[in-house]
Amino acid sequence: MSCFNKILLFFLSFLLIHPLESVPSIIPLNGSCTDKCGNIVLKYPFGSGFGCGHPAFSRFIKCTTSGVLQFSTTSGIYTISSLDYSTNTFVLTDPFMSTCSSMQNSGSFTLDHDDSSLTPFSIMKQNMFVLLGCSTTSAVFDPKQDLCDGGSGSNVCRGMYSCKGVTGIGLEPNDPISTCCVYDPPVPVGSGYGLNLPRLQCSSYSSIYGFGGDEGDPMKWEFGISLQYNNSYYVDESCKNCEDSGGFCGFSGADESFACICRNGVNSTINCYGRGYALSGTWRHKIQTGMSIGGIIFFWMMMLFI
């Protein structure tokens, strides 16, 4: 056998012995996708963890091991208390946000946004941010800025300051509302919203998305941050076919391409009926082992004829 043929034989045998060792799995295994997180039903584009749901949502949302659906931004981690698919909305609960029954010094709230990657979330227009315990020198009270709602906002401030909870931020019930502001930001409420309390010189904030049918009783008001999500993230018919077959719509690979996550731990490129399957870890290992053994046998048989 010529030298060239020997070299060719060596490389062919090497590929058979090490067929897929250096090639990563096209679709990562993920048997942890679920259709519920606690008592909240999860549907696409929402998912329970990385690889589940739409990648643009997965960066912000995950389900904890204790069954709590969380939403993360640069300002903190918030609990999703409710999710309404009919209106494309969900409500965040900030443990440091003030309510009528309990007020405390709060942190800031930011809805992440940058020019290169728009988030699919925006704050609902009817959501009202109430700044509490603000310094009288705060920029929100600058008459040239006009950042406070002086109309119906005054009634909201009076309602909040009538709560016994104001003692938690060093005030007394029914104190003057001169340190309260129903904040009307200088830019439209939406992606990229930021509420920086230290800069605004305020002690706390509250967020109200509804009055519970009684604007005169702040104990019945609905406290939380209501967000709307863009529902244009559905993946044609691929996701519907996946869900109809009992799978979860997800994504995989460096390009975050669509993947159907099946309940048996095998991931598919189409659905879970047995068509378009990618290799699972188990089958991948068996194929690698089989090809490696076959490559060794092939190599030694050819060596006998050299």
Side-chain angles (χ1 to χ4, degrees):
M1 179 178 289
S2 68
C3 180
F4 173 79
N5 288 339
K6 289 182 179 180
I7 295 174
L8 179 62
L9 174 62
F10 173 79
F11 278 108
L12 289 174
S13 301
F14 179 83
L15 290 175
L16 285 170
I17 296 173
H18 304 279
L20 299 172
E21 292 297 328
S22 61
V23 181
S25 177
I26 297 175
I27 296 182
L29 294 179
N30 189 339
S32 61
C33 294
T34 60
D35 54 6
K36 289 191 72 176
C37 182
N39 55 5
I40 296 180
V41 176
L42 298 178
K43 299 178 183 179
Y44 194 85
F46 289 84
S48 56
F50 186 79
C52 310
H54 193 280
F57 283 62
S58 180
R59 296 184 185 97
F60 299 90
I61 296 168
K62 73 171 184 177
C63 182
T64 67
T65 55
S66 58
V68 177
L69 194 61
Q70 293 182 332
F71 183 90
S72 299
T73 75
T74 54
S75 59
I77 299 175
Y78 309 91
T79 298
I80 297 179
S81 56
S82 64
L83 175 56
D84 189 341
Y85 293 98
S86 64
T87 59
N88 299 339
T89 60
F90 59 98
V91 176
L92 302 181
T93 300
D94 181 354
F96 299 106
M97 185 182 72
S98 289
T99 65
C100 185
S101 59
S102 175
M103 297 189 192
Q104 58 187 322
N105 292 334
S106 306
S108 299
F109 174 78
T110 301
L111 186 60
D112 295 338
H113 162 78
D114 59 58
D115 294 335
S116 62
S117 178
L118 297 177
T119 72
F121 312 107
S122 59
I123 296 174
M124 294 289 288
K125 291 182 178 179
Q126 63 265 33
N127 212 104
M128 301 176 63
F129 284 94
V130 187
L131 307 180
L132 306 167
C134 301
S135 169
T136 55
T137 61
S138 170
V140 297
F141 299 126
D142 185 345
K144 296 179 181 179
Q145 297 289 334
D146 194 26
L147 299 177
C148 298
D149 181 357
S152 60
S154 297
N155 294 329
V156 173
C157 281
R158 275 191 286 270
M160 291 297 296
Y161 275 29
S162 71
C163 299
K164 293 181 179 180
V166 296
T167 57
I169 57 173
L171 300 175
E172 293 296 328
N174 300 311
D175 264 358
I177 62 171
S178 56
T179 60
C180 175
C181 171
V182 175
Y183 188 50
D184 189 9
V187 294
V189 174
S191 295
Y193 185 87
L195 191 67
N196 189 326
L197 291 187
R199 183 174 62 84
L200 296 174
Q201 300 178 37
C202 298
S203 300
S204 183
Y205 85 94
S206 183
S207 180
I208 303 166
Y209 65 92
F211 292 104
D214 191 348
E215 294 188 23
D217 186 357
M219 287 298 294
K220 295 180 180 179
W221 293 355
E222 296 167 320
F223 294 94
I225 303 170
S226 180
L227 299 184
Q228 188 168 39
Y229 64 90
N230 187 336
N231 199 32
S232 64
Y233 286 80
Y234 221 86
V235 187
D236 301 325
E237 291 296 313
S238 301
C239 186
K240 185 178 184 302
N241 292 335
C242 173
E243 291 177 339
D244 288 345
S245 69
F248 302 99
C249 302
F251 60 94
S252 65
D255 60 349
E256 298 181 335
S257 58
F258 173 79
C260 185
I261 314 299
C262 302
R263 297 174 188 269
N264 60 0
V266 177
N267 295 350
S268 166
T269 57
I270 302 177
N271 56 46
C272 298
Y273 287 135
R275 298 189 298 274
Y277 280 158
L279 297 178
S280 70
T282 302
W283 282 104
R284 181 181 176 84
H285 177 71
K286 289 180 179 179
I287 292 174
Q288 286 179 334
T289 303
M291 292 184 70
S292 297
I293 294 174
I296 293 172
I297 295 174
F298 172 77
F299 176 80
W300 285 110
M301 288 182 63
M302 293 303 297
M303 289 297 291
L304 294 175
F305 293 97
I306 295 178

